[in-house]
């Protein structure tokens, strides 16, 4: 009786493990296919340490092939985003072409020189609620984009920055 119970428990454990693994793989396959990049058109700069360059990859994963590199502070055009990844083109130096880079390694700053700063909005609409005012020439964390809008974080506050208030150049104030 003990052997039958042990065999039954072992069999059930194997079935549960198999279902869990297979379901996980199926979910990953569905998620991989359902990733639709958010299209946008903004400029950002490469924000890595001076001794590094940013790897440009053939896809939105660190497992994808490295196509080239973009040096620190170079400006790139961001044309699409996925969580944690940005599709770039038109690098000002280094890499020529289109590829994917880590979103966390791109920077953006605010314009607004000579003003009280720029507004972060709750939505991609200037009629939406203003969440906070960011001082001019302030570096903000780039989280994503939609059209000409940049989703940024300033002092742990997330909001949308309109295109005319964005500066994608590292070595100038864009004023």
């Amino acid at each position: 009786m003990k052997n039958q119970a042990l065999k039954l428990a072992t069999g059930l454990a194997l079935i549960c493990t198999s279902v869990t693994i297979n379901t996980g793989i199926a979910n990953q396959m569905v998620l991989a296919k359902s990733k639709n990049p958010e299209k946008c058109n903004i400029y950002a700069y490469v924000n890595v340490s001076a001794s590094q360059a940013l790897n440009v990859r053939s896809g939105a994963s660190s497992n994808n092939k490295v196509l080239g590199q973009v040096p620190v502070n170079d400006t790139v055009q961001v044309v699409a985003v996925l969580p944690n990844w940005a599709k770039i083109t038109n690098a000002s130096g280094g890499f020529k072409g289109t590829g994917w880079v880590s979103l966390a390694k791109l920077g953006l700053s605010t314009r607004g020189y000579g003003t009280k700063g720029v507004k972060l909005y709750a939505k991609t609409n200037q009629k939406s609620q203003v969440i906070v005012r960011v001082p001019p020439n302030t570096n903000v964390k780039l989280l994503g984009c939609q059209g000409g809008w940049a989703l940024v974080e300033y002092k742990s506050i997330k909001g949308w920055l309109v295109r005319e208030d964005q500066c994608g150049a590292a070595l100038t104030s864009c004023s």
Side-chain angles (χ1 to χ4, degrees), residues 107-150:
L108 193 67
S109 61
T110 61
R111 290 184 183 225
Y113 182 76
T115 69
K116 294 179 182 177
V118 300
K119 300 172 184 174
L120 287 189
Y121 296 91
K123 298 178 183 177
T124 57
N125 182 329
Q126 287 180 299
K127 293 182 180 179
S128 70
Q129 177 188 357
V130 174
I131 299 171
V132 69
R133 188 175 285 274
V134 181
N137 305 325
T138 300
N139 292 328
V140 291
K141 183 177 180 181
L142 181 60
L143 303 174
C145 54
Q146 184 179 22
W149 290 80

Side-chain angles (χ1 to χ4, degrees), residues 152-166:
V152 300
E153 184 175 341
Y154 169 71
K155 292 188 174 181
S156 300
I157 300 169
K158 296 175 185 174
W160 292 95
L161 186 62
V162 68
R163 180 193 308 267
E164 55 264 18
D165 291 336
Q166 302 168 21

Side-chain angles (χ1 to χ4, degrees), residues 35-47 54-62 64-65 67-68 70 75-91 95 97-108 141-146 149-151:
K35 287 185 178 178
N36 290 323
E38 181 68 47
K39 292 183 180 179
C40 54
N41 185 12
I42 66 168
Y43 289 87
Y45 58 86
V46 175
N47 189 19
L54 180 59
N55 285 335
V56 181
R57 297 184 178 273
S58 60
S61 167
S62 58
N64 287 96
K65 178 182 174 186
L67 301 174
V70 182
T75 299
V76 297
Q77 182 179 6
V78 180
V79 295
V81 290
L82 285 170
N84 303 314
W85 291 92
K87 187 175 186 179
I88 60 122
T89 190
N90 297 333
F95 178 76
T98 300
W100 291 88
V101 298
S102 170
L103 184 60
K105 295 184 179 180
L106 294 178
L108 193 67
K141 183 177 180 181
L142 181 60
L143 303 174
C145 54
Q146 184 179 22
W149 290 80
L151 179 60

Side-chain angles (χ1 to χ4, degrees), residues 17-55:
T17 302
S18 176
V19 167
T20 302
I21 290 171
N22 289 329
T23 303
I25 291 170
N27 285 341
Q28 287 176 1
M29 289 169 57
V30 169
L31 289 174
K33 289 180 182 177
S34 67
K35 287 185 178 178
N36 290 323
E38 181 68 47
K39 292 183 180 179
C40 54
N41 185 12
I42 66 168
Y43 289 87
Y45 58 86
V46 175
N47 189 19
V48 294
S49 67
S51 63
Q52 293 182 323
L54 180 59
N55 285 335

